[in-house]
Amino acid sequence: MKQILIGLVTGLLFGAGLTISTMVDPQRVLAFLDIFGNWDPTLAFVMGGGLMVYLPIYYGVVNKRKTTFFSTPCDIPSNQVIDKKLIIGAALFGIGWGVSGICPGPAMTNISSLNSGILVFVIMMLIGFFIGKKSENLRFLQ
Amino acid sequence: MNEIYLQALLGGALIGSASILLMLTLGKIAGISGIVFESLRPGSTDKGWRWSFVIGLICAPLITQMFGFSLPSNIEAPLLTLGIGGLLVGIGTKIGSGCTSGHGICGIGRLSKRSIAATLTFMLTAFGTVTVLNHLV
């Protein structure tokens, strides 16, 4: 029950941040990505604001305790290898983001508008997750 | 400072707060692509908080609109474009182990080499894609 409540509160905060920051607006994302056009730097402030909170608390608290406030271990990835999978996956993600102006968080937060384009994006993204999962062991990704 | 920049900074700080709170309480990385996928993947454990997180993410605009922050109503790109975009975002974030939140905030926020490399890569291909679509074709 505690976990469910924490999930709900952090999800609400996260979604509110995406909405307030205008990250949910694909037009603004595309204007940020258009560095050779009429560049709109707004989204750099979203990332800046996020890191301004996350980084100091991570190093000040999480990295020292290594456990949560409930004394359970923090689940921090230990993989340090920059491999083909990481780079090819990130490159494909960037192309999809550049085509649409939408990444996973804003896609989910836009669902309540019931905009047909958003619903198509989300359905295809979910299909993409499962295709990606199935493709992970392909030889060209190793 | 331009008001919209301040709004973006504040929204970003909220995203950062939500993410670090998830780490401090459940010990989890707030990577949206991973949370959504694991909430649906047959056989994944720990689905409860992931489902409630996703519900929070979806319901958040219903609260922010009371304060004048609402969702965009100008999403008019062709469905084919959005479908292709969604498919690439899904495949890419799964193979690349994360998206803007997991790599861009939580990963860079702990100075992970992998996340810095991933963020530079997806930024580069996103800038490149928009440049090609807007200025070269």
Side-chain angles (χ1 to χ4, degrees):
Chain A
M1 194 58 216
K2 184 179 72 190
Q3 291 206 347
I4 306 275
L5 196 66
I6 291 170
L8 185 66
V9 171
T10 49
L12 280 170
L13 275 175
F14 201 108
L18 287 173
T19 312
I20 292 171
S21 69
T22 71
M23 185 92 195
V24 285
D25 181 356
Q27 297 304 332
R28 189 171 301 276
V29 175
L30 292 175
F32 169 71
L33 294 175
D34 193 10
I35 38 172
F36 294 109
N38 189 11
W39 190 55
D40 175 352
T42 307
L43 292 194
F45 289 87
V46 184
M47 196 174 192
L51 289 175
M52 203 171 71
V53 174
Y54 200 96
L55 201 139
I57 302 181
Y58 182 85
Y59 279 97
V61 184
V62 179
N63 203 35
K64 290 192 179 123
R65 292 174 54 105
K66 313 272 188 204
T67 60
T68 67
F69 288 152
F70 306 116
S71 300
T72 51
C74 286
D75 203 352
I76 295 160
S78 54
N79 187 353
Q80 295 272 357
V81 188
I82 296 169
D83 51 15
K84 242 166 135 180
K85 252 177 66 180
L86 181 79
I87 299 301
I88 292 175
L92 289 176
F93 163 46
I95 296 171
W97 192 31
V99 164
S100 60
I102 306 170
C103 58
M108 301 307 288
T109 297
N110 267 307
I111 284 179
S112 64
S113 72
L114 301 178
N115 174 294
S116 53
I118 286 292
L119 299 180
V120 166
F121 183 97
V122 170
I123 291 166
M124 295 305 282
M125 177 178 81
L126 298 179
I127 294 172
F129 288 154
F130 286 91
I131 295 175
K133 181 75 187 163
K134 288 272 179 224
S135 325
E136 275 177 341
N137 298 322
L138 292 178
R139 183 171 301 160
F140 83 97
L141 288 172
Q142 306 307 313
Chain B
M1 189 162 60
N2 192 328
E3 197 178 314
I4 192 75
Y5 295 162
L6 206 61
Q7 192 182 321
L9 197 69
L10 177 77
L14 265 179
I15 295 171
S17 308
S19 306
I20 200 69
L21 205 59
L22 193 65
M23 179 54 78
L24 289 168
T25 51
L26 301 184
K28 298 292 180 188
I29 303 261
I32 308 303
S33 53
I35 293 174
V36 173
F37 177 66
E38 289 299 317
S39 72
L40 296 172
R41 183 173 68 86
S44 81
T45 53
D46 230 7
K47 278 195 165 87
W49 71 267
R50 291 190 170 93
W51 268 99
S52 61
F53 184 96
V54 169
I55 290 168
L57 207 53
I58 295 172
C59 294
L62 307 175
I63 296 173
T64 57
Q65 72 184 11
M66 293 191 264
F67 303 93
F69 301 103
S70 40
L71 292 172
S73 51
N74 57 348
I75 302 174
E76 288 154 357
L79 294 185
L80 183 67
T81 307
L82 292 173
I84 293 170
L87 191 67
L88 287 171
V89 166
I91 296 174
T93 53
K94 188 73 214 76
I95 294 176
S97 312
C99 57
T100 351
S101 50
H103 283 312
I105 303 286
C106 302
I108 295 187
R110 59 186 178 87
L111 302 179
S112 149
K113 271 195 321 196
R114 269 171 63 85
S115 289
I116 293 169
T119 305
L120 289 175
T121 305
F122 69 66
M123 284 291 191
L124 205 72
T125 57
F127 283 134
T129 303
V130 172
T131 300
V132 168
L133 293 178
N134 284 3
H135 305 289
L136 300 178
V137 292

